[in-house]
Amino acid sequence: MTDSVRKHEQPFYKTSVLGSRYSLIENDGVIYFHAVVAPTETGDLKRAAASAIDKFDALLKREYLQGCVISQTVFLRSMADRRVIEPLLTDYYGDYLPVITYVPQSPCEESEPFVFELLAIKGEKRRIRVIRRGPHAVLYDIGDISYGRFGNFAPKGGGGPAYDESIETFEAMRAEMRRSGFDTPDLLRTWLYQGSITRPEGATQRYKELNRARTDFFRDVRFLQKFIPEGKQGVIYPASTGIGADGLGILMSAIAVRTDAEKSPGLVTVPLENPEQTPAFDYGAVYSPQSPKFSRAMALASGNTCHIYISGTASINDSETQFVGDPAAQTRRTIRNILDLISGANLKRHGLSGFYATLDNLAIARVYIKREADYPLIRSIADEAFRGTPITYTFTDICRDDLLVEVEGLAVCSQKEQG
């Protein structure tokens, strides 16, 4: 999609400028900017980082969004490179520092030592109050609703038992949320990056221990109760991605939403499940003694616009992996699962009548790839399906040995007239 294509049925446009892709969403007087930026310089890391900062600075100037970045994720080929990149970002942002999460996942392009993913927000026709609380939290209020972006939480040590480190990191994130006026029930979406995710740990597996910790941490929590429509208060968990990372340890980030009003003024949140997939929280013990506690997606409907936060999605039907050993078929099945999840029929099934999304509605996506040899094939399929969408491609392990690709994203759609 070119920059000239700015008006269409979606409540946003996608474009490619200076070799970078970004999307710009306009909803109820608020602009959301999502971008994926890679360096133009190669060789010297400091020069590469400076070139990437120059690129996204030019994009922000182009859309009048300087000083508006609230969240950034840095995907690193080597975590040691953080020592070079972090001071440059800190100096660039100054008093407008976003939450920056440094993820040890290698970009798929060999020439790229890192990739930046950015989110900026600005009030176009209404006031937004942004509070920057340091490296782990940025808060913003839109009317009577408060949102929090939380990130870069990790255990103090490293290399300890997966259960203990997971609990420690969940608790660190909760402590920051509470300092910021939020709490665990306000979680809307989480990212859990776990080193050596499929490696055995004692008689079990590291990911299964992460699921045990998540189950214990979420026990008896009733999520998002002020935003759930009447009659929908069943089993509710945040959307989530639980994905591999280099090394050991665990890293977490999250989005939260809250209001002081007795009931949400004008915003509803609805957890979505795929009719062709068993809910992850109902998986049998063969996959994990304590099932993964997340929803396939979380939809936020406000006015005539719906944001759909799509959890990590893979080639699974019911609860079983499909097309073992076939990266092309797994990628296509993963894409089909996303389409089924965000379809008008599924949104209507969940009480969101009038909304309808296709892959053209994806505003940003990530594609996680297990085997380096599969990258060209998987990318060709995903690029064709997600036309014009800003996409981050990284190499990392996935939570099952037989899964070769996982995809997550954000879809944004408008409510159509009922006829």
Side-chain angles (χ1 to χ4, degrees):
M1 185 173 293
T2 64
D3 183 48
S4 61
V5 184
R6 299 169 73 103
K7 298 291 185 181
H8 46 69
E9 290 188 355
Q10 287 74 31
F12 64 93
Y13 71 87
K14 296 183 275 192
T15 188
S16 179
V17 178
L18 301 174
S20 299
R21 287 180 175 177
Y22 69 89
S23 62
L24 203 69
I25 304 162
E26 299 181 42
N27 178 29
D28 194 22
V30 180
I31 289 178
Y32 304 84
F33 167 94
H34 294 270
V36 174
V37 178
T40 53
E41 298 281 348
T42 58
D44 180 75
L45 179 63
K46 190 171 183 179
R47 287 179 58 193
S51 73
I53 292 170
D54 286 344
K55 281 177 71 173
F56 74 67
D57 179 64
L59 299 181
L60 294 170
K61 286 179 179 176
R62 189 173 191 270
E63 299 293 352
Y64 305 99
L65 289 166
Q66 285 182 292
C68 298
V69 178
I70 62 169
S71 177
Q72 181 166 345
T73 305
V74 181
F75 298 91
L76 291 166
R77 193 171 301 279
S78 169
M79 278 299 278
D81 293 345
R82 176 178 174 176
R83 293 195 295 267
V84 175
I85 296 172
E86 187 170 20
L88 295 176
L89 290 173
T90 301
D91 182 64
Y92 169 77
Y93 284 115
D95 293 336
Y96 298 93
L97 186 70
V99 172
I100 305 177
T101 300
Y102 295 87
V103 180
Q105 290 179 353
S106 295
C108 290
E109 287 296 324
E110 189 175 352
S111 62
E112 297 172 355
F114 61 86
V115 172
F116 293 158
E117 184 183 286
L118 298 95
L119 167 63
I121 185 170
K122 179 176 124 175
E124 181 71 359
K125 298 178 181 177
R126 61 187 303 177
R127 182 175 180 271
I128 297 178
R129 185 172 69 112
V130 178
I131 303 172
R132 300 176 186 271
R133 293 183 50 85
H136 296 292
V138 172
L139 319 177
Y140 56 101
D141 295 341
I142 302 175
D144 293 327
I145 301 171
S146 299
Y147 298 84
R149 289 273 174 165
F150 302 93
N152 216 41
F153 297 98
K156 291 182 179 179
Y163 177 89
D164 294 345
E165 288 201 335
S166 298
I167 289 292
E168 178 186 344
T169 310
F170 274 123
E171 289 178 344
M173 185 163 65
R174 178 172 60 188
E176 181 62 47
M177 290 175 67
R178 286 177 171 173
R179 283 192 291 270
S180 302
F182 291 76
D183 209 339
T184 307
D186 304 320
L187 284 172
L188 175 76
R189 203 225 191 278
T190 65
W191 287 267
L192 314 176
Y193 308 96
Q194 186 178 36
S196 302
I197 191 169
T198 59
R199 197 180 82 170
E201 183 161 296
T204 183
Q205 180 203 55
R206 287 177 57 76
Y207 182 60
K208 293 178 180 179
E209 287 293 272
L210 166 58
N211 285 329
R212 184 165 70 94
R214 175 163 48 180
T215 296
D216 288 348
F217 190 77
F218 286 174
R219 196 178 306 280
D220 299 325
V221 176
R222 300 180 70 223
F223 290 96
L224 303 169
Q225 290 302 294
K226 288 187 177 182
F227 299 98
I228 301 296
E230 294 294 332
K232 296 291 182 181
Q233 286 91 347
V235 178
I236 296 167
Y237 292 106
S240 187
T241 298
I243 195 69
D246 298 337
L248 292 171
I250 191 163
L251 178 69
M252 297 184 186
S253 58
I255 307 171
V257 60
R258 63 174 296 275
T259 181
D260 288 328
E262 186 171 332
K263 203 69 177 174
S264 165
L267 176 71
V268 297
T269 62
V270 180
L272 304 180
E273 295 299 326
N274 187 331
E276 295 196 11
Q277 292 183 296
T278 303
F281 50 80
D282 281 339
Y283 278 176
V286 64
Y287 298 105
S288 186
Q290 295 292 337
S291 60
K293 301 301 191 292
F294 70 92
S295 298
R296 297 290 180 192
M298 187 66 73
L300 278 72
S302 176
N304 67 346
T305 302
C306 186
H307 289 62
I308 307 171
Y309 291 90
I310 302 164
S311 297
T313 304
S315 178
I316 295 173
N317 185 54
D318 292 329
S319 57
E320 298 180 359
T321 301
Q322 304 295 300
F323 308 110
V324 173
D326 187 336
Q330 283 203 16
T331 304
R332 293 189 180 101
R333 181 54 198 248
T334 299
I335 292 168
R336 175 185 157 186
N337 282 341
I338 291 173
L339 269 170
D340 290 343
L341 185 66
I342 66 177
S343 70
N346 197 46
L347 294 176
K348 183 177 181 180
R349 184 181 296 113
H350 287 83
L352 294 168
S353 296
F355 290 104
Y356 177 84
T358 70
L359 297 180
D360 287 339
N361 293 87
L362 282 175
I364 193 163
R366 294 181 189 172
V367 179
Y368 304 102
I369 300 172
K370 177 171 287 188
R371 304 186 306 202
E372 292 188 17
D374 296 335
Y375 167 54
L377 177 59
I378 291 173
R379 175 156 192 166
S380 68
I381 296 170
D383 277 352
E384 182 178 1
F386 305 145
R387 294 171 299 176
T389 300
I391 306 174
T392 301
Y393 290 92
T394 63
F395 292 124
T396 191
D397 203 358
I398 298 170
C399 64
R400 294 186 188 180
D401 290 328
D402 54 10
L403 288 175
L404 303 176
V405 60
E406 185 168 321
V407 180
E408 65 169 77
L410 169 67
V412 184
C413 59
S414 296
Q415 194 169 35
K416 305 299 188 296
E417 294 289 335
Q418 300 298 299

